[in-house]
Amino acid sequence: MNAGKSTALLQTNHNFIENNLKTLVFIPQLDDSSISKIVSRIGIEVDAIPANSNFNFYKYTKLEDTKEIKSIFIDEVQFLKKDQIDQLSKIADNLNIPVMCYGLRTNFMGELFEGSDRLLSIADNLHEIKTICSYCTRKATMVIKINSEGKAETQGAEIKIGGNDLYKSVCRKHFRKLTKLV
Ligand SMILES: [Zn+2]
């Protein structure tokens, strides 16, 4: 699943690096696979600090030279826990470092992810990265998970990181048609 958000993250991060501005880049770590790179479809990649569910973003960042860090970037932010999103807001408020989060709003069942739920509640700004439906030209706002028989799944575990080929961005009309969940 890739709506171009990793590309957007990498481009913005690159703008900072190009101007010799220090950033921190994080990616949630869901299992032992320890993915610690963010790779975009257009070939840019950057090393990211892996953050598991016990990782404390505020404590980690506070130990850094916080005056030097000009921005923090997080990919796949939907996978963070509610309290981790709150830690990010403390970084913005207490350490005065902007935190830019990139992620999906809902899972393949059309439900908010825990991290996205909290983020939508407390974020200062929201920007929608627009992409089109895999089946028509409407704006894609939902995600479906395709199983081995080519059918849309309506239950099971939430998205796994890096599962590019199993997930498709779709409009709500096609989400309804394919999952009957709306
Ligand atoms: Zn559609």
Side-chain angles (χ1 to χ4, degrees), residues 132-140 169-175 178:
I132 63 164
C133 175
S134 299
Y135 301 96
C136 71
T137 55
R138 286 185 188 83
K139 185 175 78 170
S169 306
V170 295
C171 68
R172 187 182 54 238
K173 184 178 175 178
H174 276 105
F175 183 84
L178 296 162

PDB file of all heavy atoms in Angstrom, residues 132-140 169-175 178, ligand 1:
ATOM      1  N   ILE A 132      -5.711   8.451  -6.744  1.00  0.00           N
ATOM      2  CA  ILE A 132      -6.989   8.025  -7.308  1.00  0.00           C
ATOM      3  C   ILE A 132      -7.262   6.546  -7.074  1.00  0.00           C
ATOM      4  O   ILE A 132      -6.363   5.750  -6.856  1.00  0.00           O
ATOM      5  CB  ILE A 132      -7.158   8.375  -8.811  1.00  0.00           C
ATOM      6  CG1 ILE A 132      -6.116   7.653  -9.649  1.00  0.00           C
ATOM      7  CG2 ILE A 132      -7.146   9.875  -9.055  1.00  0.00           C
ATOM      8  CD1 ILE A 132      -6.471   7.643 -11.138  1.00  0.00           C
ATOM      9  N   CYS A 133      -8.538   6.217  -7.113  1.00  0.00           N
ATOM     10  CA  CYS A 133      -9.043   4.858  -6.897  1.00  0.00           C
ATOM     11  C   CYS A 133      -8.403   3.893  -7.896  1.00  0.00           C
ATOM     12  O   CYS A 133      -8.179   4.248  -9.052  1.00  0.00           O
ATOM     13  CB  CYS A 133     -10.559   4.873  -7.053  1.00  0.00           C
ATOM     14  SG  CYS A 133     -11.321   3.236  -6.970  1.00  0.00           S
ATOM     15  N   SER A 134      -8.151   2.670  -7.434  1.00  0.00           N
ATOM     16  CA  SER A 134      -7.576   1.649  -8.318  1.00  0.00           C
ATOM     17  C   SER A 134      -8.560   1.183  -9.381  1.00  0.00           C
ATOM     18  O   SER A 134      -8.173   0.506 -10.333  1.00  0.00           O
ATOM     19  CB  SER A 134      -7.148   0.434  -7.497  1.00  0.00           C
ATOM     20  OG  SER A 134      -6.180   0.798  -6.557  1.00  0.00           O
ATOM     21  N   TYR A 135      -9.865   1.515  -9.213  1.00  0.00           N
ATOM     22  CA  TYR A 135     -10.895   1.013 -10.138  1.00  0.00           C
ATOM     23  C   TYR A 135     -11.629   2.100 -10.915  1.00  0.00           C
ATOM     24  O   TYR A 135     -12.404   1.803 -11.808  1.00  0.00           O
ATOM     25  CB  TYR A 135     -11.915   0.161  -9.360  1.00  0.00           C
ATOM     26  CG  TYR A 135     -11.285  -1.009  -8.663  1.00  0.00           C
ATOM     27  CD1 TYR A 135     -10.922  -0.924  -7.313  1.00  0.00           C
ATOM     28  CD2 TYR A 135     -11.016  -2.197  -9.347  1.00  0.00           C
ATOM     29  CE1 TYR A 135     -10.327  -1.991  -6.669  1.00  0.00           C
ATOM     30  CE2 TYR A 135     -10.417  -3.272  -8.699  1.00  0.00           C
ATOM     31  CZ  TYR A 135     -10.076  -3.166  -7.367  1.00  0.00           C
ATOM     32  OH  TYR A 135      -9.478  -4.210  -6.730  1.00  0.00           O
ATOM     33  N   CYS A 136     -11.441   3.366 -10.524  1.00  0.00           N
ATOM     34  CA  CYS A 136     -12.103   4.453 -11.251  1.00  0.00           C
ATOM     35  C   CYS A 136     -11.267   5.722 -11.056  1.00  0.00           C
ATOM     36  O   CYS A 136     -10.149   5.653 -10.559  1.00  0.00           O
ATOM     37  CB  CYS A 136     -13.544   4.646 -10.750  1.00  0.00           C
ATOM     38  SG  CYS A 136     -13.674   5.369  -9.103  1.00  0.00           S
ATOM     39  N   THR A 137     -11.802   6.859 -11.430  1.00  0.00           N
ATOM     40  CA  THR A 137     -10.995   8.081 -11.327  1.00  0.00           C
ATOM     41  C   THR A 137     -11.381   8.937 -10.134  1.00  0.00           C
ATOM     42  O   THR A 137     -10.926  10.067  -9.989  1.00  0.00           O
ATOM     43  CB  THR A 137     -11.126   8.926 -12.607  1.00  0.00           C
ATOM     44  OG1 THR A 137     -12.512   9.183 -12.841  1.00  0.00           O
ATOM     45  CG2 THR A 137     -10.527   8.207 -13.799  1.00  0.00           C
ATOM     46  N   ARG A 138     -12.230   8.397  -9.244  1.00  0.00           N
ATOM     47  CA  ARG A 138     -12.572   9.141  -8.028  1.00  0.00           C
ATOM     48  C   ARG A 138     -11.361   9.190  -7.091  1.00  0.00           C
ATOM     49  O   ARG A 138     -10.442   8.380  -7.184  1.00  0.00           O
ATOM     50  CB  ARG A 138     -13.735   8.475  -7.286  1.00  0.00           C
ATOM     51  CG  ARG A 138     -15.091   8.656  -7.944  1.00  0.00           C
ATOM     52  CD  ARG A 138     -16.187   8.068  -7.068  1.00  0.00           C
ATOM     53  NE  ARG A 138     -17.452   8.070  -7.773  1.00  0.00           N
ATOM     54  CZ  ARG A 138     -17.823   7.132  -8.634  1.00  0.00           C
ATOM     55  NH1 ARG A 138     -17.030   6.106  -8.878  1.00  0.00           N
ATOM     56  NH2 ARG A 138     -18.983   7.216  -9.247  1.00  0.00           N
ATOM     57  N   LYS A 139     -11.443  10.122  -6.148  1.00  0.00           N
ATOM     58  CA  LYS A 139     -10.394  10.226  -5.133  1.00  0.00           C
ATOM     59  C   LYS A 139     -10.424   8.979  -4.244  1.00  0.00           C
ATOM     60  O   LYS A 139     -11.490   8.565  -3.784  1.00  0.00           O
ATOM     61  CB  LYS A 139     -10.649  11.483  -4.288  1.00  0.00           C
ATOM     62  CG  LYS A 139      -9.560  11.759  -3.280  1.00  0.00           C
ATOM     63  CD  LYS A 139      -9.807  13.075  -2.560  1.00  0.00           C
ATOM     64  CE  LYS A 139     -10.865  12.917  -1.495  1.00  0.00           C
ATOM     65  NZ  LYS A 139     -10.962  14.114  -0.636  1.00  0.00           N
ATOM     66  N   ALA A 140      -9.258   8.394  -4.004  1.00  0.00           N
ATOM     67  CA  ALA A 140      -9.175   7.232  -3.114  1.00  0.00           C
ATOM     68  C   ALA A 140      -9.096   7.711  -1.674  1.00  0.00           C
ATOM     69  O   ALA A 140      -8.238   8.515  -1.322  1.00  0.00           O
ATOM     70  CB  ALA A 140      -7.953   6.399  -3.467  1.00  0.00           C
ATOM     71  N   SER A 169      -5.587   1.294  -2.916  1.00  0.00           N
ATOM     72  CA  SER A 169      -6.324   2.498  -2.554  1.00  0.00           C
ATOM     73  C   SER A 169      -7.590   2.551  -3.402  1.00  0.00           C
ATOM     74  O   SER A 169      -7.530   2.361  -4.615  1.00  0.00           O
ATOM     75  CB  SER A 169      -5.497   3.741  -2.858  1.00  0.00           C
ATOM     76  OG  SER A 169      -4.239   3.654  -2.234  1.00  0.00           O
ATOM     77  N   VAL A 170      -8.702   2.796  -2.750  1.00  0.00           N
ATOM     78  CA  VAL A 170      -9.973   2.857  -3.488  1.00  0.00           C
ATOM     79  C   VAL A 170     -10.841   4.009  -2.996  1.00  0.00           C
ATOM     80  O   VAL A 170     -10.652   4.527  -1.897  1.00  0.00           O
ATOM     81  CB  VAL A 170     -10.787   1.534  -3.347  1.00  0.00           C
ATOM     82  CG1 VAL A 170     -10.060   0.366  -3.986  1.00  0.00           C
ATOM     83  CG2 VAL A 170     -11.109   1.233  -1.883  1.00  0.00           C
ATOM     84  N   CYS A 171     -11.814   4.374  -3.817  1.00  0.00           N
ATOM     85  CA  CYS A 171     -12.805   5.369  -3.396  1.00  0.00           C
ATOM     86  C   CYS A 171     -13.832   4.668  -2.493  1.00  0.00           C
ATOM     87  O   CYS A 171     -13.872   3.442  -2.430  1.00  0.00           O
ATOM     88  CB  CYS A 171     -13.487   5.986  -4.618  1.00  0.00           C
ATOM     89  SG  CYS A 171     -14.537   4.822  -5.510  1.00  0.00           S
ATOM     90  N   ARG A 172     -14.677   5.472  -1.847  1.00  0.00           N
ATOM     91  CA  ARG A 172     -15.659   4.864  -0.934  1.00  0.00           C
ATOM     92  C   ARG A 172     -16.661   3.989  -1.670  1.00  0.00           C
ATOM     93  O   ARG A 172     -17.077   2.947  -1.173  1.00  0.00           O
ATOM     94  CB  ARG A 172     -16.372   5.953  -0.123  1.00  0.00           C
ATOM     95  CG  ARG A 172     -17.290   5.387   0.969  1.00  0.00           C
ATOM     96  CD  ARG A 172     -18.027   6.478   1.725  1.00  0.00           C
ATOM     97  NE  ARG A 172     -18.733   7.344   0.819  1.00  0.00           N
ATOM     98  CZ  ARG A 172     -18.540   8.680   0.744  1.00  0.00           C
ATOM     99  NH1 ARG A 172     -17.696   9.284   1.550  1.00  0.00           N
ATOM    100  NH2 ARG A 172     -19.208   9.388  -0.128  1.00  0.00           N
ATOM    101  N   LYS A 173     -17.039   4.429  -2.877  1.00  0.00           N
ATOM    102  CA  LYS A 173     -18.009   3.660  -3.660  1.00  0.00           C
ATOM    103  C   LYS A 173     -17.485   2.247  -3.937  1.00  0.00           C
ATOM    104  O   LYS A 173     -18.196   1.259  -3.775  1.00  0.00           O
ATOM    105  CB  LYS A 173     -18.303   4.393  -4.970  1.00  0.00           C
ATOM    106  CG  LYS A 173     -19.360   3.739  -5.810  1.00  0.00           C
ATOM    107  CD  LYS A 173     -19.641   4.548  -7.063  1.00  0.00           C
ATOM    108  CE  LYS A 173     -20.618   3.783  -7.950  1.00  0.00           C
ATOM    109  NZ  LYS A 173     -20.948   4.563  -9.152  1.00  0.00           N
ATOM    110  N   HIS A 174     -16.225   2.163  -4.340  1.00  0.00           N
ATOM    111  CA  HIS A 174     -15.654   0.843  -4.608  1.00  0.00           C
ATOM    112  C   HIS A 174     -15.360   0.079  -3.316  1.00  0.00           C
ATOM    113  O   HIS A 174     -15.442  -1.148  -3.294  1.00  0.00           O
ATOM    114  CB  HIS A 174     -14.412   0.963  -5.503  1.00  0.00           C
ATOM    115  CG  HIS A 174     -14.772   1.027  -6.953  1.00  0.00           C
ATOM    116  ND1 HIS A 174     -14.714   2.192  -7.683  1.00  0.00           N
ATOM    117  CD2 HIS A 174     -15.270   0.065  -7.785  1.00  0.00           C
ATOM    118  CE1 HIS A 174     -15.147   1.942  -8.922  1.00  0.00           C
ATOM    119  NE2 HIS A 174     -15.483   0.669  -9.001  1.00  0.00           N
ATOM    120  N   PHE A 175     -15.038   0.810  -2.246  1.00  0.00           N
ATOM    121  CA  PHE A 175     -14.871   0.144  -0.950  1.00  0.00           C
ATOM    122  C   PHE A 175     -16.178  -0.547  -0.565  1.00  0.00           C
ATOM    123  O   PHE A 175     -16.197  -1.713  -0.166  1.00  0.00           O
ATOM    124  CB  PHE A 175     -14.469   1.168   0.120  1.00  0.00           C
ATOM    125  CG  PHE A 175     -14.204   0.549   1.478  1.00  0.00           C
ATOM    126  CD1 PHE A 175     -12.972   0.002   1.772  1.00  0.00           C
ATOM    127  CD2 PHE A 175     -15.206   0.502   2.436  1.00  0.00           C
ATOM    128  CE1 PHE A 175     -12.722  -0.591   3.008  1.00  0.00           C
ATOM    129  CE2 PHE A 175     -14.970  -0.080   3.678  1.00  0.00           C
ATOM    130  CZ  PHE A 175     -13.725  -0.622   3.953  1.00  0.00           C
ATOM    131  N   LEU A 178     -16.923  -3.552  -2.890  1.00  0.00           N
ATOM    132  CA  LEU A 178     -16.039  -4.711  -2.742  1.00  0.00           C
ATOM    133  C   LEU A 178     -16.055  -5.334  -1.349  1.00  0.00           C
ATOM    134  O   LEU A 178     -15.777  -6.517  -1.196  1.00  0.00           O
ATOM    135  CB  LEU A 178     -14.601  -4.309  -3.112  1.00  0.00           C
ATOM    136  CG  LEU A 178     -14.414  -3.895  -4.586  1.00  0.00           C
ATOM    137  CD1 LEU A 178     -13.132  -3.125  -4.784  1.00  0.00           C
ATOM    138  CD2 LEU A 178     -14.441  -5.128  -5.483  1.00  0.00           C
TER     139      LEU A 178
HETATM  140 ZN    ZN B   1     -13.549   3.864  -7.357  1.00  0.00          ZN
END
